[in-house]
Structures are given as C-alpha cells and as structure tokens.
Amino acid sequence: PATTRPFPAGEMPTITLVTGANQGIGFATATVLAKVHKHHVIIGSRNAEAGAEAAALLRAEGGSVSCIQLDLTSDASIEVAVDTIKREHGHIDTLINNAGILIDGKNPGQSVRALFTETFATNVIGTAALTEAFLPLLRKSSNPNLVFVSSRMGSLHQATVKDTMFYAVDYK
C-alpha cells in the first residue's frame, strides 16, 4: 500500500505529488508537507532509486511518503504515474510542479539551440504535459491545489538588476 502511516478512522490525508522531490527545494517541500502538515507525499523523481531513497528517509522520520518514477520528457512515464496514483489513491489534492533542469554550461559543446530545446522540453512542455495529465485526478479532490515552483532566474524583473548574481552569466 502507498500510505505507510495509519490515519485516524475517517480521516484521509491530503495527497500531494511533488515533482523533482528527491533533492533540493522539492525534498524540503516534501519534508515539511509530510512531517509538519501530515500530507501523504508522493515523491516524483526521474531517477527511481533517488526517489526511493528520499521516500525511505522521510518514512524513517515518521512521514507518510511514497515515490514514483516520473520523467517530464516522457509521455509514457507521465501516463504510468497517473495510472499508478489513480489506482492507489483515486485522486490527488495538490500537484506541486517543482521538477526542472538547469544545464547551462554543463556541456560546453552543446549548441544554443540544443540547450534551449532540452531546457524548454523539460521545464515548459514537460510541466504542461504533466499538469494536463493530472487534471482529472486533481478535479476529483474536494480542495484541489496546483503549484508551480520557479526561481529568481525566472524573474523578468531580476533580469534587469545588474548586481543579481546571475546577471553577468545569464542575463546580459
């Protein structure tokens, strides 16, 4: 079973899927939601092993957590995730779109076109496809929530601030 901590009779936990939750902001979000707010958190992770490790760590700390392999660039992966969560939970209450990539400079030989195509495919198209696929499960919730996580790098205002730490590299 997906839920690893019993809840009082008649009390259903908030079911929250956090994409990219095996590390960083996603993991911190999953931790707070599971431990403080008592959500059942589903850790979405491109790397299944990393997701399982993150889920095990939070379960060891008393959280109700499961994980699912989820690659935003794969329609098949998204479909399997939707089908699995539908079968195990019937709905989700909250979808937190946190997964994304920042690959600038990681492959010096990569063309600008290839860099933008890969980034856009994951961060924009993948997030849109995932959200669209999960809308039917969100609509089954009595209190659906949809969250998109961004960063300072996504701020148009910050792009004009010359002392922003990324200005010299990415904004100028």
Side-chain angles (χ1 to χ4, degrees):
T3 303
T4 59
R5 185 182 65 214
F7 291 89
E11 185 178 321
M12 293 298 295
T14 299
I15 307 296
T16 300
L17 170 61
V18 184
T19 67
N22 59 294
Q23 63 182 349
I25 293 169
F27 184 74
T29 301
T31 300
V32 170
L33 290 174
K35 292 173 65 177
V36 177
H37 298 286
K38 308 303 183 201
H39 288 212
H40 173 75
V41 176
I42 305 166
I43 291 179
S45 177
R46 183 177 49 221
N47 179 315
E49 186 176 307
E53 289 173 8
L57 180 63
L58 292 180
R59 278 194 303 271
E61 296 176 1
S64 175
V65 183
S66 58
C67 63
I68 193 149
Q69 193 279 330
L70 185 56
D71 180 350
L72 297 183
T73 64
S74 167
D75 291 338
S77 172
I78 292 170
E79 183 178 338
V80 168
V82 169
D83 290 345
T84 301
I85 292 170
K86 180 178 182 180
R87 184 178 62 253
E88 292 180 0
H89 301 283
H91 74 285
I92 59 173
D93 298 297
T94 304
L95 170 59
I96 300 178
N97 283 300
N98 169 72
I101 60 172
L102 176 61
I103 56 172
D104 301 37
K106 294 199 175 177
N107 180 359
Q110 187 175 35
S111 71
V112 169
R113 180 177 302 279
L115 170 69
F116 279 37
T117 298
E118 188 175 351
T119 301
F120 201 78
T122 302
N123 297 355
V124 178
I125 298 168
T127 298
L130 177 91
T131 301
E132 185 70 24
F134 272 99
L135 283 176
L137 293 184
L138 272 169
R139 288 184 178 123
K140 290 182 178 187
S141 172
S142 61
N143 186 29
N145 298 282
L146 182 56
V147 179
F148 294 88
V149 177
S150 186
S151 70
R152 244 176 132 177
M153 291 284 296
S155 167
L156 294 176
H157 170 73
Q158 285 301 130
T160 65
V161 178
K162 293 185 179 184
D163 63 352
T164 298
M165 62 189 273
F166 303 111
Y167 184 84
V169 177
D170 288 307
Y171 292 148
K172 66 179 178 153

